[in-house]
Amino acid sequence: MPGSSSSHHVSRRAALTLGLGAAASVSLPGPRAAAAVSAVGGERLGRSGVQVASGTPRLPKLAAQAWLVADHDSGDVLASYDAHRALPPASTLKMLFADTVLPKFGRASVHKVTAADLAGIPYGSSLVGVQAGTSYTVEQLWQGVFLRSGNDAVHVLASMNGGVGETVRQMQARAKDLQANDTHVVSPDGFDHKGQVSSAYDLTLFARAGLKNEDFRGYCATKTADFPAGGKKTFQIQNTDRLLTGQGVAAYQGLIGVKNGYTSHAGNTFTGAATRGGRTLLVTVMHPKSGYEAVYEETAALLDWGFAAAGKADPVGTLVTPLSEQPKGAAAAKPRAGAAGSVGAPVAASTTSHMDDWAFGGSAAVAVLAGGGLLALRRRGRERPAGRRRRQG
C-alpha cells in the first residue's frame, strides 16, 4: 500500500479506482493518434485506446492522454493507453539525456563552469543555481539534473559532452538504438521546442535502460542533496518527484524514481518505478487533463493496479531490447506471448497526426549568465505548489 497520507489524499486515490473495467481484449477509442503509429513492442501497442487483457482487476479512472504499465524485469507491458502517441515530453526527456551522457564522465570529475557553458538556456527554465566561475563535481551536476530538473546543469553537462548540437545528435542515436522511434530530440533539456516529442512507450524504454546504471538509479532515488553556492557555501536541494518525497501527495511505498516534468505546453509528465515483493514496475503518465497532482495520483493508481494484476495479466506487448544488446544479425525483438502482431511496423490510423496540430511558442535564449547571476535566479527553478505559476523544463 502507498505510504501514509491525509484522508484528502486517500479519497483522491480511492476515486481513481472507480473507473474503467477490464473487458476481454479491451480496445477503446482514444483521442487523436498519429497517422502512422509505431507498433514497436507489439501490434496492440500501435492501436489507439486502452489495451488490457481480460480477467485483470478493474483499471483506475484516468484522465491522461497516454499511459503505460510494464514489468521492469520481463519487459511485459501489462496495459496501455495510446502507448505510441507522440506528445511533448517535458523534462522526462532528461532520462534519455542521462542514458546518453551519464556513462561518459566519472562522478568525482570536477568541472569549472564558464559563461559559455550556460549560454542558450531557454527563458523560463527550471534552474538549480549553477554559477559561472564555480567548480562542480559531475555528481553534483547530475544531482542538479535529477533532483531539480535544472536546465543549467543539463547545459553544462552538454557543453562538456561536445555541445548541445552534438549531444542532441547522440541522444537521437541512443533513441534509435533503444528502438524509441516515436522520439524526436531538439534540445537535451526537454523544454518546449517545435517538433520535440516522445511517447509513453519511449519514455518507459528510457527509464528501463537508465535503471540498469547504478548511478542513474542512485540519483533518481535521492531526496535531498547539498549543492554548491560559491566558495565553501552550499544550499539544500530537494527532489521534485512528489511520489518520492511525499510533498503534496502521499509518498509511494517502494518508489525508486524516476523523472517528472512540466512545461506550459506539455503539461505534466511522469515516469515512475517502484518495487514490491521482488517485482519492479514501470509506469508512464503523460498529460492528465487537469490538476497538477493528477500525474502523481494517476501514476500511483496505475502502480497499485499493476502490482495487483502482475502474474494475472497476459501482456499486451513488450518493452523491446536495445538493438546493441541483440544477438548479431538479429531483427527487432519479437513480442512476448500475448502481444499479438509483428514488431516495428507502422499501423495506419484514421485520425490525423497529433504533431500536425502542435503549436509552439518560440523559446528565447537566455543571455550569457556569469558570476552569481544564475544563483540569483535559482528560486525561479523551484517547482511551485499547485495553483501557482511554475517554471518549466
Side-chain angles (χ1 to χ4, degrees), residues 53 127-128 336 369:
L127 304 172
V128 65
R336 294 178 178 271
L369 298 168

Side-chain angles (χ1 to χ4, degrees), residues 76 95 141 254 272 343 357 361 384 392:
D76 289 344
M95 294 186 294
L141 291 171
V343 176
D357 61 4
R384 305 299 176 89
Q392 305 176 53

